Amino acid sequence: MHTTTEALITQSDRPTRRNAPRPRSRRLNSSVLFVVPALVIVGGIIYLGVGYNLWVSALDWDGISEAEFVGLDNYAQVLSEPVFWQSIVNVLIFGVATVVIQMILGLLMAIVLSGPVIGRSVYKVIMFLPVVLAPAAVATAFRQIFSPDGAFNAFLASIGLDGIASAWIADPKTALWVIIVANIWQWTGFSFILYQAAITQIDHDQLEAAQLDGAGRLRTIRSIIVPQLKGTHITLAITGVIGAFKTFDLVWLITGGGPGRSTEFLTTYIYKEAIQQFHTGYASALSIVLLVIAVIFTAIQMRVFRFGKD
Amino acid sequence: MFGKTTAGSRLAHQLIATLVAIPFAAPLVVIVVTSFGGQGAIANYTAVITNTPILRFILNSLLMSAGTVAVVLVCTLLSGYAFSKLNFRGRRLLFNAILGGLILPVVALLVPMFLFVRTFGLFNNFLAVILPLSAVMIPLTLLLTKNYLDGVPDEILEAARIDGASRFSTLLLIVVPLSRPIIAVVVVWAYLNAWNEFLLPLVFLQDPNLQAVTQVPTYFTSTYGSDVPKIFASLVLMSAPIVAVYLSLQSFFERGLTAGAVK
């Protein structure tokens, strides 16, 4: 496809180069060819996909046999389905817990490393390395580490806490927290790097003025550094919540949504309904709901940013 | 940044940094150390390499990553150049339309993609992974590239045009060399995401010979049960290529991963 487009572009360009300039409008129109490959791929997959999703979400269909048009029935079913609400609650708990803890740890590390520390780049690599690992690898590791005879229980035993050792993943009360811990481990480095970049932008005169006024270290952090990083806080909070709604690999490979449905996420729910249960129409309605949630959060993000800039 | 640095404050900084870093380093240490346990490092790694198709999976992932990087880069450069430097009707509209794709989680496209792949018989075809992955990446890479190119003065391109260069050769000979930093970010970003992608290969590549590196843990546990040292050895092997690239190109990774969030 690219070769065709490129051929078209070079062809239409050649006369322009050799001859006198052609009428402006014709030259301008052929420029659109440059965006065709991107448009075809993005439009063809994302927009056709969403459109098709909308259509299928109005069908009672298993993906194979005759479909029946049912209007909004699938959506009504989604909203009356306890598993759906359970998955929303799980995503929200996961989202809030991971975002808050990742921000606190990332900010703490960024502030500490902006001071006098030996081996700064080693700390930086330790924090950021998990970010580049495949969630599939991280999930597998944490599944083993938190298994009954895994490294975490062994660690607890070694410091005399065998009493609280547990089958963390098999227990519906703690399974979600294993996923949360894995996510915090993987993504704190992301918050850290963003904060680190933002801290270098802070006005040094203000910091010095505060110190001259006798503000202590903690006071400086609380009254000057933290407020000045407002943009980064907002970015991390919103991308974190959107990321929570997109999380699939970690959940799927650590708990598979279980035990029972106790760690079901919207994404694992969609996967099960679409691929394993052949509830094609219903899964489409779920996907549209997920899309609407993502759009709402993105709209909030854009509004907040515009607001923050004025 | 805090002015005076006393011995006490140095110690405090070092101590806090270490305390925070320990829980982050611990799983890495556990993974590597465990992979050396059981029958021993050499036995574990040899077993993983010889008894499982991990090298095959790595090759498959390399091919899919290369394909994704190529598609994303070509589409991004062509369209980024056009949206930033050329004039045509509907420019804003089309740009915003592509950016709209930023919002979308891949999972939300599972049903249409599944039916599409089935209709066109693309199961067990790398294109079923490469094209959707590219589609969800291009909006971001385009945004970054256009922002970057907006900072390149038009005069440089005008000069090339006056010298008789076509739009395409201007792109190739002037814009591409000037865009090296952003190209590196795009390549790293696309490679990382393609290498780590789990869902699309899971759904569309059923043939055991065609699976991606992210399927290694599942393949291993379903075939060999819970031989933890060997599972961890396979995790080390599947992560080695991306870690190697990260360690040699740290700043590109950090910029690539954060660029999207900053603006």
Side-chain angles (χ1 to χ4, degrees):
Chain A
M1 164 179 318
H2 306 302
T3 37
T4 351
T5 324
E6 281 162 22
L8 281 173
I9 291 161
T10 18
Q11 239 171 30
S12 68
D13 267 354
R14 243 166 235 145
T16 330
R17 199 173 1 160
R18 280 200 222 109
N19 310 339
R22 290 200 276 165
R24 199 168 162 74
S25 62
R26 280 190 68 191
R27 268 179 56 199
L28 296 185
N29 281 342
S30 69
S31 294
V32 81
L33 291 174
F34 283 80
V35 304
V36 165
L39 270 182
V40 167
I41 291 186
V42 174
I45 292 174
I46 294 185
Y47 284 95
L48 277 185
V50 171
Y52 195 55
N53 237 340
L54 269 174
W55 164 241
V56 174
S57 74
L59 304 175
D60 178 13
W61 193 30
D62 58 8
I64 299 158
S65 42
E66 193 97 344
E68 189 195 340
F69 186 83
V70 292
L72 294 175
D73 282 10
N74 283 325
Y75 292 93
Q77 205 193 327
V78 166
L79 297 181
S80 65
E81 176 59 63
V83 177
F84 168 74
W85 293 108
Q86 168 90 57
S87 70
I88 294 284
V89 170
N90 286 339
V91 172
L92 288 177
I93 294 174
F94 170 89
V96 171
T98 54
V99 165
V100 170
I101 299 173
Q102 283 161 202
M103 283 170 66
I104 292 173
L105 289 177
L107 178 59
L108 177 65
M109 201 60 166
I111 290 176
V112 171
L113 287 192
S114 71
V117 172
I118 301 164
R120 186 175 291 125
S121 56
V122 176
Y123 290 104
K124 200 167 125 180
V125 167
I126 291 174
M127 298 304 290
F128 200 73
L129 189 65
V131 176
V132 307
L133 297 180
V138 173
T140 309
F142 274 76
R143 193 181 157 79
Q144 295 298 341
I145 288 170
F146 282 93
S147 68
D149 52 359
F152 187 66
N153 281 344
F155 165 73
L156 289 178
S158 74
I159 57 170
L161 287 175
D162 0 12
I164 60 167
S166 150
W168 304 101
I169 295 168
D171 185 341
K173 284 198 288 293
T174 51
L176 183 60
W177 288 92
V178 175
I179 305 171
I180 290 172
V181 167
N183 196 82
I184 292 170
W185 184 77
Q186 175 151 42
W187 290 104
T188 296
F190 183 74
S191 304
F192 160 68
I193 291 284
L194 276 195
Y195 277 127
Q196 204 187 34
I199 281 179
T200 58
Q201 310 286 325
I202 290 182
D203 188 0
H204 273 248
D205 294 347
Q206 261 194 43
L207 288 176
E208 274 166 35
Q211 264 150 20
L212 285 179
D213 289 347
R217 191 147 302 186
L218 289 177
R219 185 67 206 274
T220 315
I221 291 173
R222 208 182 55 206
S223 328
I224 300 194
I225 299 181
V226 171
Q228 289 222 13
L229 299 175
K230 198 177 119 204
T232 313
H233 304 320
I234 295 170
T235 303
L236 285 170
I238 296 175
T239 52
V241 173
I242 295 176
F245 276 99
K246 292 183 180 182
T247 302
F248 174 79
D249 309 6
L250 278 183
V251 188
W252 188 247
L253 288 172
I254 292 178
T255 66
R261 307 307 279 262
S262 63
T263 60
E264 203 73 80
F265 276 41
L266 206 43
T267 50
T268 55
Y269 189 29
I270 291 173
Y271 180 85
K272 286 178 184 172
E273 293 293 326
I275 305 295
Q276 297 182 332
Q277 308 285 326
F278 299 106
H279 294 158
T280 310
Y282 183 71
S284 286
L286 279 175
S287 309
I288 296 294
V289 171
L290 173 60
L291 184 62
V292 168
I293 293 173
V295 169
I296 290 171
F297 277 104
T298 310
I300 295 174
Q301 182 179 28
M302 286 165 68
R303 174 149 294 200
V304 170
F305 265 111
R306 220 158 277 160
F307 179 71
K309 266 179 195 149
D310 291 337
Chain B
M1 77 183 299
F2 289 111
K4 56 187 191 311
T5 53
T6 61
S9 81
R10 278 171 187 279
L11 188 67
H13 275 87
Q14 202 77 42
L15 200 68
I16 298 173
T18 309
L19 282 179
V20 177
I22 284 175
F24 287 91
L28 294 172
V29 175
V30 167
I31 294 169
V32 174
V33 170
T34 311
S35 77
F36 295 157
Q39 297 166 295
I42 297 171
N44 291 337
Y45 282 86
T46 322
V48 172
I49 291 173
T50 53
N51 299 344
T52 73
I54 186 167
L55 295 179
R56 179 77 216 214
F57 288 10
I58 287 178
L59 177 69
N60 291 338
S61 279
L62 278 177
L63 290 172
M64 281 185 271
S65 304
T68 309
V69 167
V71 172
V72 168
L73 193 60
V74 169
C75 291
T76 302
L77 282 175
L78 284 171
S79 59
Y81 168 59
F83 283 126
S84 177
K85 299 295 177 204
L86 302 177
N87 253 311
F88 50 91
R89 202 178 302 157
R91 187 168 80 145
R92 270 185 78 92
L93 179 75
L94 293 177
F95 181 66
N96 287 330
I98 294 182
L99 280 202
L102 273 175
I103 296 169
L104 202 84
V106 183
V107 187
L109 288 176
L110 209 50
V111 170
M113 283 189 309
F114 189 82
L115 298 171
F116 180 87
V117 165
R118 199 180 58 191
T119 308
F120 291 90
L122 287 174
F123 276 110
N124 295 321
N125 188 323
F126 288 162
L127 284 180
V129 174
I130 292 173
L131 292 180
L133 256 187
S134 305
V136 294
M137 274 185 231
I138 288 171
L140 179 65
T141 55
L142 169 62
L143 177 64
L144 298 179
T145 307
K146 182 187 175 285
N147 283 347
Y148 181 88
L149 289 176
D150 284 347
V152 173
D154 290 348
E155 289 77 21
I156 301 178
L157 307 188
E158 277 309 309
R161 278 197 76 87
I162 290 166
D163 289 346
S166 70
R167 276 160 294 181
F168 188 67
S169 45
T170 309
L171 169 63
L172 219 54
L173 301 175
I174 314 276
V175 175
V176 167
L178 280 173
S179 313
R180 252 183 251 140
I182 197 70
I183 289 176
V185 168
V186 170
V187 169
V188 160
W189 168 261
Y191 167 67
L192 176 74
N193 279 286
W195 182 267
N196 286 344
E197 174 64 25
F198 172 73
L199 178 65
L200 293 171
L202 173 73
V203 177
F204 296 129
L205 305 176
Q206 314 279 339
D207 183 336
N209 278 323
L210 294 175
Q211 288 182 4
V213 75
T214 45
Q215 309 296 324
V216 166
T218 318
Y219 178 91
F220 203 97
T221 30
S222 65
T223 317
Y224 294 91
S226 52
D227 187 341
V228 180
K230 294 202 183 73
I231 294 174
F232 280 21
S234 72
L235 294 185
V236 172
L237 286 173
M238 70 180 272
S239 307
I242 200 85
V243 171
V245 179
Y246 161 62
L247 289 178
S248 45
L249 295 171
Q250 278 186 48
S251 63
F252 287 123
F253 271 74
E254 287 153 14
R255 254 196 303 157
L257 281 175
T258 50
V262 177
K263 241 201 118 193

